[in-house]
Amino acid sequence: MQLQPTASHFINGAYVEDTAGAPIEIIYPATGEVIGTVHAATPAIVDQALESAKVGQKVWAAMTGRERGRIMSRAAAMIMERNHELSVLETYDTGKPYQETIAVDATSGADALEYFGGLAGSLTGEHIPLGEDWVYTVREPLGVCVGIGAWNYPTQIACWKGAPALACGNAMVFKPSETTPMCALKVAEILHEAGVPAGVYNVIQGMGEVGAALVNDTRVDKVSLTGSVSTGKKVYAAAASHMKHVTMELGGKSPLIIFDDADVENAVGGAILGNFYSSGQVCSNGTRVFVQKGIKEKFLARLAERLDTAVIGDPLDEATSFGPMVSKRQMDIVLGYMAKGQEEGARLVYGGKRLERDGFYLEPTVFADVTDDMTIAREEIFGPVMSVLDFDTEEEVIARANDTEYGLSAGVFTSDLSRGHRVIGQLEAGSCFINSYNDAPVEAPFGGVKNSGVGRENSKEAINHYSQVKSVYVRMGDVEAPY
Ligand code: NDP
């Protein structure tokens, strides 16, 4: 099986190759086979991408918001028409089951392009009357934005960063994770087919050094990263030294709190979605599942019954609902945590092993009797490992849920809506859920507090992170100077 992309990079409206860059093998996670190779961007490619973005941005920003929006809406429609093809590609890039990719990946990318395309014509300023004088404000683009992606949602991340950037009149240079280089190239191709001018959306490949070269370049005005906290700190520091704007979407160790009065089926469903979707490779996952003691055994029993019905197998088979890890490296990291959980005395109640088959498959895994100090309850695992922790009181669980460096998401299951609001109001997290988990509609802001990040993606909030306000004072009378 070969899925060689047309070329490694997409710059100035066309595919570009430079084989002088280090080769990066594209590995299909379901088999471990090499299905293609791309080359990391050389300094010449980085330069070419930034130069074309500089020029393209001026052309794009000179168009009206409505013209930009119409092109973005066209791109959204094209993505939906090609959803099958793009979903198969996403599955090859990440190993996630087609059952997921057909529903979530290209579709959420299209949602972002459609939503921000719709807003593009309404990005107006204010008029501030000051007696006879007045101030007007103009919402201006930032210039050249850099997007750096993680490997778990390559199409979605390319669109979630690209759509608000483009709506505001910026250009983008996007660097996907080296683990999943293919999907963003397709996004660039479709945007250009839809009418986005050359240079406005560029994709270049590479590892961390290429990301760092982009972040440190003075032609770049903003950096938006989806990645780990440690990378986030490096990128934020580099951006700060040039006073660049940033959005940081980083990791999490989010609490999912299930009270005795919760509907057990819904709570189990939320916990499954928040721990095992995409084989657990989701930043907002609720991986610390606090279950009140009265419901614990019922919850664990029903969870095991429902996990028994997961269909683990070929991700391209529509019946498969649980696929492999993205890479051998990530699988090994997660196996390390599975071993650590047992060593530290957590009770393994489900899974816990690698599957004996080709590819990077792990069993969905549940540990019960987890305590707050265990490594599996403190560190982000980024794999299909759920930690179930017991609790007695509301006050206790709120304090324990907040005892983490992270603050991306939080969820509460209860039939008492007043309690749901009261508890969520005290949790330190950016994206929260009551009787649900992990919904991420483009209309709602998404992002974290504490070490989980700065800024917000999606919704009208994202416009503030991809534009800046110029205020213009207009004096109608004479200028009175003291001398
Ligand atoms: P990493 O932080 O390792 O990498 C993220 C991206 O940054 C990659 O494209 C990487 O390149 C690049 N990069 C690495 N070092 C630098 C640097 N010094 N300067 C600029 N760019 C750099 O994360 P992963 O790709 O391993 O993704 C998993 C992590 O991402 C998890 O911790 C998860 O929590 C987080 N994540 C957060 C999300 C959110 O929205 N909050 C969503 C998804 C994931 P390369 O890897 O190619 O070398």
Side-chain angles (χ1 to χ4, degrees):
M1 177 68 204
Q2 278 294 302
L3 264 184
Q4 186 59 38
T6 310
S8 299
H9 318 289
F10 193 95
I11 299 173
N12 206 24
Y15 277 101
V16 176
E17 191 53 273
D18 180 356
T19 53
I24 299 171
E25 286 182 338
I26 310 171
I27 294 169
Y28 181 37
T31 60
E33 260 177 292
V34 176
I35 54 172
T37 305
V38 291
H39 292 269
T42 54
I45 287 285
V46 173
D47 188 59
Q48 210 178 315
L50 289 172
E51 272 315 298
S52 80
K54 265 284 198 246
V55 176
Q57 193 265 327
K58 297 273 180 277
V59 176
W60 184 237
M63 292 165 66
T64 66
R66 201 162 44 75
E67 284 169 330
R68 291 199 296 271
R70 186 178 291 151
I71 293 171
M72 291 172 66
S73 301
R74 198 180 298 140
M78 287 166 64
I79 286 180
M80 289 313 291
E81 278 158 25
R82 297 190 199 169
N83 189 18
H84 167 71
E85 169 207 335
L86 295 168
S87 302
V88 169
L89 191 71
E90 173 95 17
T91 291
Y92 276 112
D93 232 358
T94 61
K96 289 184 295 181
Y98 177 80
Q99 193 187 91
E100 283 188 20
T101 56
I102 191 72
V104 165
D105 291 279
T107 58
S108 65
D111 286 351
L113 287 162
E114 186 179 76
Y115 176 84
F116 286 105
L119 288 184
S122 316
L123 305 178
T124 53
E126 278 186 292
H127 169 261
I128 304 161
L130 294 163
E132 289 200 337
D133 297 349
W134 41 286
V135 168
Y136 66 93
T137 65
V138 186
R139 189 158 285 281
E140 294 187 334
L142 299 174
V144 174
C145 301
V146 159
I148 301 177
W151 39 254
N152 56 347
Y153 283 82
T155 306
Q156 183 185 80
I157 296 172
C159 292
W160 278 18
K161 297 191 189 308
L166 266 51
C168 296
N170 301 287
M172 171 148 283
V173 178
F174 186 80
K175 188 203 85 68
S177 164
E178 109 225 18
T179 312
T180 52
M182 296 191 286
C183 296
L185 290 169
K186 277 285 161 203
V187 170
E189 194 185 303
I190 290 173
L191 284 168
H192 284 84
E193 253 182 81
V196 169
V200 173
Y201 190 94
N202 310 278
V203 174
I204 63 172
Q205 308 293 345
M207 333 266 253
E209 306 92 77
V210 171
L214 290 169
V215 176
N216 283 299
D217 197 288
T218 51
R219 287 167 286 190
V220 172
D221 302 286
K222 189 221 158 97
V223 181
S224 175
L225 170 80
T226 296
S228 58
V229 172
S230 63
T231 303
K233 286 180 179 170
K234 284 186 224 158
V235 171
Y236 201 175
S241 69
H242 301 268
M243 212 56 84
K244 291 179 200 238
H245 298 255
V246 294
T247 300
M248 296 281 147
E249 294 293 353
L250 310 176
K253 190 74 195 175
S254 301
L256 172 55
I257 302 173
I258 298 168
F259 285 97
D260 280 344
D261 64 354
D263 176 297
V264 178
E265 279 312 305
N266 285 331
V268 169
I272 287 174
L273 286 175
N275 281 271
F276 301 119
Y277 204 71
S278 304
S279 296
Q281 302 165 112
V282 181
C283 50
S284 50
N285 272 355
T287 47
R288 287 184 297 144
V289 182
F290 291 94
V291 184
Q292 206 166 13
K293 283 183 180 152
I295 204 177
K296 175 184 165 186
E297 290 312 324
K298 204 166 158 194
F299 173 86
L300 287 174
R302 196 59 195 120
L303 177 65
E305 280 168 11
R306 286 182 58 176
L307 287 176
D308 282 343
T309 67
V311 181
I312 306 179
D314 173 4
L316 289 167
D317 180 341
E318 278 184 56
T320 297
S321 55
F322 188 90
M325 304 303 294
V326 75
S327 62
K328 176 164 188 313
R329 181 174 171 269
Q330 190 62 21
M331 179 182 71
D332 290 340
I333 291 172
V334 177
L335 279 169
Y337 280 109
M338 287 176 175
K340 195 95 184 159
Q342 285 175 280
E343 267 163 52
E344 293 186 357
R347 178 162 61 99
L348 180 67
V349 293
Y350 202 91
K353 292 192 304 296
R354 181 178 181 182
L355 289 177
E356 285 180 21
R357 55 178 295 156
D358 287 343
F360 314 129
Y361 286 86
L362 295 175
E363 290 174 330
T365 296
V366 181
F367 284 102
D369 305 339
V370 177
T371 54
D372 297 343
D373 54 340
M374 289 181 185
T375 308
I376 56 169
R378 302 215 68 81
E379 295 182 10
E380 182 179 49
I381 299 175
F382 228 61
V385 182
M386 181 195 292
S387 293
V388 177
L389 303 95
D390 306 344
F391 76 94
D392 289 301
T393 68
E394 183 178 313
E395 198 184 10
E396 166 210 340
V397 79
I398 292 168
R400 290 170 60 199
N402 285 335
D403 181 20
T404 167
E405 62 174 306
Y406 296 111
L408 187 50
S409 293
V412 177
F413 276 85
T414 174
S415 55
D416 176 351
L417 201 51
S418 310
R419 169 151 70 188
H421 280 291
R422 188 167 66 232
V423 172
I424 280 292
Q426 294 172 79
L427 293 177
E428 296 160 1
S431 302
C432 297
F433 308 90
I434 298 176
N435 292 329
S436 191
Y437 206 82
N438 261 355
D439 315 75
V442 68
E443 296 89 339
F446 179 78
V449 303
K450 294 158 77 177
N451 273 354
S452 291
V454 290
R456 290 293 176 269
E457 297 201 297
N458 289 343
S459 79
K460 284 180 265 181
E461 275 292 319
I463 296 297
N464 297 327
H465 299 289
Y466 282 99
S467 60
Q468 56 200 343
V469 173
K470 175 182 277 174
S471 71
V472 183
Y473 190 108
V474 183
R475 181 175 294 281
M476 303 303 287
D478 294 332
V479 174
E480 280 180 31
Y483 48 84

